[in-house]
Amino acid sequence: MESNPRKLLDEFIPEAMGKQFVIPVYQRKYTWTVKKQLVQLKKDLIGLIEDESSQKQHFLGTIVYLENIVDYKTERSVVDGQQRLVTMFLIAHAMKSIAENEYRAREIDETYLQNYSEKMGSRYRQRLYPSVADGNDYLIIAEGRYDEINKESESNIVRNFLYLQSELRNLVQEYTFDRVLYALKRFSIVYIKLDERDNAQQIFESINSTGERLTASDLIRNFIMMDKSNEEQTTLYTTYWRRLEEVFNDSRAMEDFFRYYLAAITGKYSAKHVLYQAFKDYWYEEREKSSDAKLMEKLVRYSNYFASLYYKKPTGKYSEIQSDFQSLESMMPAPFVLELSEWYYKDQLITEEQYFEVIKVLNNYQIRRYFNGDDTSRISKAFPTYIKNVQRYAEKSGFENIVDIVIYVLVTRNQSNNMAVPTDKSLKANLLNANAYTMRLTRWLLEKIENNDNSATLDMSKLSIEHIMPQTSTYYWEEKADAAGEDYTGLVNTIGNLTLVSKPDNSAAGNKDFETKKKIFEDTLHIRMNKSLYEMTEWTSKSITDRSVELIHRLISMYPYLRSNGNYKYDASRNIFLEAQGIKASGYLHENGTVTIYSGSEIYSKIKNISSDYLGETRQELLNNGVIEEAIGGLQFVQDYTTSSVSKAAALLLGGSRNGWEYWKDENGIILNESLRKKNKI
């Protein structure tokens, strides 16, 4: 490794005459912008121009490169620093474009921009070979075809060149060309030249850990491609990676996808700060039995599943199911549906009808929990576990039972924990008094109810939610509701007091009395739910409650409580439950005495205060690995976890040393000492 300081424009680039700086395809696109970087760069330049000593320098950062010989040509493959290097080349091109005469322009061209020993059209003619994604925009500038520049382009290459060209022209007019160029020559860098013994990927990771954070997807791209030849990199990029970029419009969206992808494959979420390492571990293991191309093909395949489920407009026979799925705007089931898609599209283990019926079950699960007011964070990490459990049961009992198996995993197995699907009774009790107006999905629910079993689907795009009894109370409405203050506020926002009207009608309705509002409803009788309102003679608290009950029943009818028909693997009598110290947990007692603690099981909130606790390190390790997670009120398991005994399972949940036989109970509420143990089932 060789390291030295250099003036970027005065020394480092001119010293590379006859060589070419190459931005490998694994590097992310040129991302510097006018607002974030170039405005400050201009201020720094003015500082150098106005420096009376003419000796001050401005340090831009580090440029790391690996020098390779390709077909007897020297390439400097940039490992880090492409943003500042490309920007300096754009500055040189801008100075050339505004040069006062052709001789100055040629001087800049020969010194910084082109290798004149190479013939025109040669790949090595330009001193900079940009990334594939930026190549066409840069080439137009490099060849001086300024009239072909699309000034409306979204490209940072184009935008930054036009900005630099304009601002440098202004500076030249104010200070002279030579003075500006001399100041530009005092931007400095430290270059690091790697040799074959250096681990370029490791150095890249170390450098970028302290700079502007690269996303995991940036690092993953570099990891996959860095050890390849430029030709291999280009093939992987154009054949596979570019297709990922077409699905995900930014690297952070792609980062989230990689997290869902790994969770689908491995059955567990990786925390964001360890996602890159988790992906490397996965890739190294899989590459032993496959190839980079096949693994990339799998990534692209899963990205297409993701796009189809979340991005593309639903069409066809099952469009309503997919539309419901997209309306929820939930990424929680992403790992589940990605693996489910593989079973349908590639493995052909399930039919199209089964595929969408499973998604319908997922919709049901999420919708009922949402309108019950259940904490969604409690189930966000459970879906990778769910899909692996479904897979195990299906492999044993047959994929023809896939829909019932999914109901078993999501509903039946969760009946006694925090991941449970709310019963009709619970859903009615909670939604009856909930502030439905603040719920994001309330408008969606009203639209679903309106269009359910309606042969002529109503266009809802120009409708808005209207309070029948107005939000702002008046004496008239308080008397009708027999409520004031907080009681009025609680009643006015319940779902029974909400309907859909056109936006002009919403404004006109205001705080008017019910008879006046009915005239507005008369204009919207094409909305079926408003027809029944128009037929009413008064609107009271009882009217609101009755309508709330009606709408909730419609919700329950459309998304009923589901029950599975089979057990599939476990003996139901071995399901065990723990309720102590304010927590609830559930699990399964295996015949060998081990216990699987189910996801959703809670951990005692004051467990750190127990001096006799001997499983603190184990608990911390589970937290680090994402098996348990911080939740409202304390820790909870977000993945199933198997312990060696009932006592260790109890100790993990409650802290200290516990006799699990006295804490865990069977499905009848009898402690295990008096049930399974005494029946000699262990």
Side-chain angles (χ1 to χ4, degrees):
M1 181 186 296
E2 175 185 322
S3 176
N4 282 296
R6 281 290 188 274
K7 295 175 183 175
L8 182 53
L9 205 59
D10 197 35
E11 298 171 329
F12 183 66
I13 293 177
E15 288 170 359
M17 184 176 291
K19 301 177 181 180
Q20 186 177 65
F21 291 100
V22 175
I23 309 298
V25 295
Y26 64 75
Q27 291 277 25
R28 60 180 173 180
K29 292 176 65 175
Y30 177 66
T31 59
W32 273 19
T33 64
V34 170
K35 186 176 180 180
K36 288 186 177 180
Q37 284 88 15
L38 296 199
V39 169
Q40 182 59 49
L41 189 66
K42 176 192 169 185
K43 292 178 181 177
D44 297 333
L45 174 59
I46 292 174
L48 293 175
I49 293 172
E50 296 181 345
D51 171 37
E52 294 182 358
S53 70
S54 298
Q55 299 299 314
K56 186 169 71 172
Q57 296 185 30
H58 183 82
F59 180 64
L60 287 177
T62 306
I63 293 178
V64 183
Y65 67 93
L66 181 66
E67 201 159 273
N68 300 305
I69 306 299
V70 180
D71 293 333
Y72 308 105
K73 306 290 185 182
T74 303
E75 293 183 357
R76 289 184 169 183
S77 182
V78 180
V79 175
D80 183 66
Q82 72 138 322
Q83 305 294 329
R84 55 189 67 96
L85 182 64
V86 172
T87 300
M88 192 53 68
F89 270 96
L90 289 178
I91 287 173
H93 280 296
M95 290 297 286
K96 172 189 170 184
S97 72
I98 62 173
E100 53 220 341
N101 56 59
E102 62 180 294
Y103 305 107
R104 296 306 299 271
R106 171 141 184 148
E107 179 188 14
I108 292 173
D109 216 23
E110 290 181 348
T111 307
Y112 309 116
L113 300 176
Q114 297 197 52
N115 291 318
Y116 271 73
S117 60
E118 298 290 336
K119 63 182 180 180
M120 293 294 293
S122 167
R123 179 205 187 285
Y124 292 96
R125 176 75 177 192
Q126 299 297 333
R127 199 82 60 87
L128 172 69
Y129 189 82
S131 67
V132 173
D134 299 315
N136 290 337
D137 294 322
Y138 181 81
L139 188 61
I140 290 173
I141 295 168
E143 293 181 351
R145 294 183 278 134
Y146 306 129
D147 57 335
E148 296 180 28
I149 294 175
N150 177 10
K151 294 184 179 180
E152 304 301 320
S153 172
E154 297 291 320
S155 163
N156 288 328
I157 289 281
V158 172
R159 287 183 170 186
N160 290 2
F161 172 76
L162 294 175
Y163 172 82
L164 290 167
Q165 187 183 52
S166 174
E167 295 302 313
L168 288 171
R169 181 181 286 113
N170 293 337
L171 291 176
V172 165
Q173 290 175 354
E174 183 175 355
Y175 296 106
T176 75
F177 189 93
D178 286 336
R179 190 171 174 182
V180 172
L181 184 60
Y182 183 69
L184 287 168
K185 291 178 179 180
R186 284 181 284 141
F187 281 111
S188 64
I189 52 98
V190 168
Y191 77 80
I192 299 175
K193 178 183 177 183
L194 307 179
D195 58 40
E196 293 179 354
R197 294 169 297 175
D198 298 317
N199 186 327
Q201 176 68 19
Q202 190 175 53
I203 291 171
F204 176 84
E205 293 169 11
S206 175
I207 291 169
N208 283 284
S209 67
T210 56
E212 181 180 350
R213 190 183 83 85
L214 296 179
T215 65
S217 61
D218 294 324
L219 293 169
I220 287 168
R221 180 190 59 236
N222 300 351
F223 161 71
I224 292 171
M225 299 188 189
M226 184 174 279
D227 63 345
K228 312 289 190 303
S229 69
N230 197 57
E231 182 179 354
E232 289 176 302
Q233 290 174 15
T234 302
T235 299
L236 284 175
Y237 177 82
T238 55
T239 307
Y240 303 110
W241 196 271
R242 179 177 283 171
R243 290 161 67 187
L244 291 177
E245 292 179 338
E246 289 170 355
V247 173
F248 305 103
N249 56 13
D250 62 66
S251 61
R252 298 196 185 279
M254 196 186 297
E255 177 182 69
D256 290 337
F257 163 72
F258 281 128
R259 191 160 175 256
Y260 306 140
Y261 172 81
L262 275 187
I265 300 297
T266 65
K268 60 182 180 181
Y269 266 114
S270 300
K272 285 191 175 183
H273 68 281
V274 297
L275 175 60
Y276 173 51
Q277 184 59 49
F279 186 90
K280 287 203 300 182
D281 294 342
Y282 156 76
W283 200 265
Y284 282 134
E285 182 179 347
E286 292 298 312
R287 196 158 54 181
E288 291 181 2
K289 50 193 175 184
S290 186
S291 65
D292 285 326
K294 288 184 178 179
L295 290 173
M296 287 294 293
E297 183 180 333
K298 187 173 183 178
L299 271 176
V300 170
R301 190 166 67 245
Y302 274 64
S303 74
N304 290 334
Y305 300 155
F306 190 90
S308 177
L309 286 161
Y310 283 99
Y311 297 155
K312 294 181 181 178
K313 184 177 179 180
T315 59
K317 182 179 178 182
Y318 300 100
S319 59
E320 184 176 1
I321 294 174
Q322 189 174 346
S323 180
D324 282 354
F325 183 83
Q326 291 182 354
S327 295
L328 294 175
E329 297 180 0
S330 172
M331 293 298 172
M332 288 187 298
F336 193 107
V337 292
L338 284 176
E339 196 63 12
L340 182 75
S341 298
E342 182 82 339
W343 298 346
Y344 166 48
Y345 289 106
K346 182 178 183 295
D347 300 334
Q348 298 183 348
L349 295 170
I350 58 177
T351 66
E352 181 184 41
E353 181 181 4
Q354 289 173 318
Y355 176 70
F356 283 103
E357 281 298 314
V358 170
I359 294 176
K360 188 176 179 180
V361 173
L362 293 173
N363 292 344
N364 184 296
Y365 180 75
Q366 294 182 91
I367 288 166
R368 289 182 72 102
R369 282 185 60 89
Y370 176 86
F371 284 107
N372 198 56
D374 293 329
D375 178 18
T376 55
S377 65
R378 292 181 178 241
I379 63 171
S380 61
K381 300 298 176 60
F383 278 99
T385 301
Y386 288 161
I387 192 63
K388 291 307 174 187
N389 286 337
V390 168
Q391 183 176 7
R392 284 197 294 270
Y393 301 153
E395 287 173 349
K396 181 178 180 180
S397 302
F399 278 88
E400 64 270 15
N401 299 314
I402 187 70
V403 179
D404 196 60
I405 289 172
V406 171
I407 296 172
Y408 175 74
V409 170
L410 264 66
V411 183
T412 306
R413 280 189 54 183
N414 283 328
Q415 284 176 342
S416 301
N417 63 35
N418 290 323
M419 325 292 273
V421 176
T423 62
D424 292 352
K425 182 179 178 180
S426 173
L427 187 56
K428 180 179 177 181
N430 283 287
L431 187 51
L432 192 61
N433 298 304
N435 185 338
Y437 186 63
T438 61
M439 288 183 167
R440 181 180 60 82
L441 291 179
T442 294
R443 176 191 168 90
W444 168 84
L445 176 59
L446 293 175
E447 291 179 2
K448 286 291 295 186
I449 290 172
E450 176 63 28
N451 281 324
N452 188 44
D453 296 328
N454 190 350
S455 57
T457 302
L458 186 65
D459 179 13
M460 302 289 188
S461 60
K462 296 181 180 180
L463 302 181
S464 63
I465 293 179
E466 158 72 358
H467 287 80
I468 303 167
M469 183 172 77
Q471 284 180 288
T472 304
S473 64
T474 65
Y475 175 77
Y476 167 86
W477 283 110
E478 286 180 357
E479 187 177 34
K480 286 287 183 183
D482 191 23
E486 293 178 358
D487 293 336
Y488 185 95
T489 303
L491 183 63
V492 79
N493 288 317
T494 56
I495 193 165
N497 192 50
L498 304 176
T499 191
L500 295 169
V501 298
S502 65
K503 292 178 182 178
D505 288 339
N506 192 331
S507 301
N511 297 340
K512 295 179 173 61
D513 59 38
F514 186 61
E515 286 301 317
T516 304
K517 286 203 169 193
K518 282 180 61 174
K519 295 178 181 178
I520 296 171
F521 296 144
E522 186 177 9
D523 295 332
T524 58
L525 292 182
H526 61 289
I527 302 174
R528 292 187 302 171
M529 66 175 63
N530 288 349
K531 185 176 181 181
S532 60
L533 292 173
Y534 177 72
E535 292 171 351
M536 298 191 69
T537 57
E538 62 177 355
W539 191 249
T540 65
S541 57
K542 183 179 184 304
S543 306
I544 294 172
T545 301
D546 289 347
R547 187 166 180 271
S548 290
V549 171
E550 178 191 346
L551 294 177
I552 294 168
H553 282 164
R554 296 287 296 277
L555 169 64
I556 290 171
S557 175
M558 290 187 296
Y559 303 98
Y561 188 87
L562 302 173
R563 292 173 174 83
S564 62
N565 297 316
N567 190 341
Y568 301 103
K569 181 176 180 181
Y570 290 145
D571 177 356
S573 68
R574 290 188 173 275
N575 287 323
I576 59 175
F577 309 90
L578 183 150
E579 189 169 349
Q581 306 285 50
I583 70 163
K584 291 182 179 181
S586 60
Y588 185 82
L589 178 58
H590 299 275
E591 293 183 5
N592 63 1
T594 61
V595 170
T596 296
I597 303 173
Y598 287 153
S599 59
S601 296
E602 299 169 333
I603 296 174
Y604 180 43
S605 61
K606 297 181 180 179
I607 205 163
K608 292 183 179 179
N609 299 335
I610 300 176
S611 58
S612 61
D613 182 43
Y614 70 100
L615 293 174
E617 290 185 5
T618 301
R619 218 173 282 110
Q620 184 60 49
E621 184 179 347
L622 294 176
L623 184 64
N624 293 341
N625 292 334
V627 178
I628 61 177
E629 195 173 78
E630 294 281 354
I632 298 173
L635 298 170
Q636 81 170 39
F637 279 84
V638 292
Q639 297 178 27
D640 291 357
Y641 179 74
T642 301
T643 65
S644 59
S645 67
V646 290
S647 294
K648 187 171 182 180
L652 265 176
L653 297 165
L654 298 172
S657 180
R658 307 281 178 168
N659 181 354
W661 298 101
E662 296 179 355
Y663 282 93
W664 289 100
K665 298 179 180 180
D666 66 14
E667 58 185 349
N668 298 313
I670 302 172
I671 63 173
L672 298 188
N673 255 337
E674 300 172 8
S675 58
L676 290 178
R677 200 181 194 189
K678 288 191 174 181
K679 292 175 184 177
N680 296 317
K681 289 193 175 183
I682 300 301

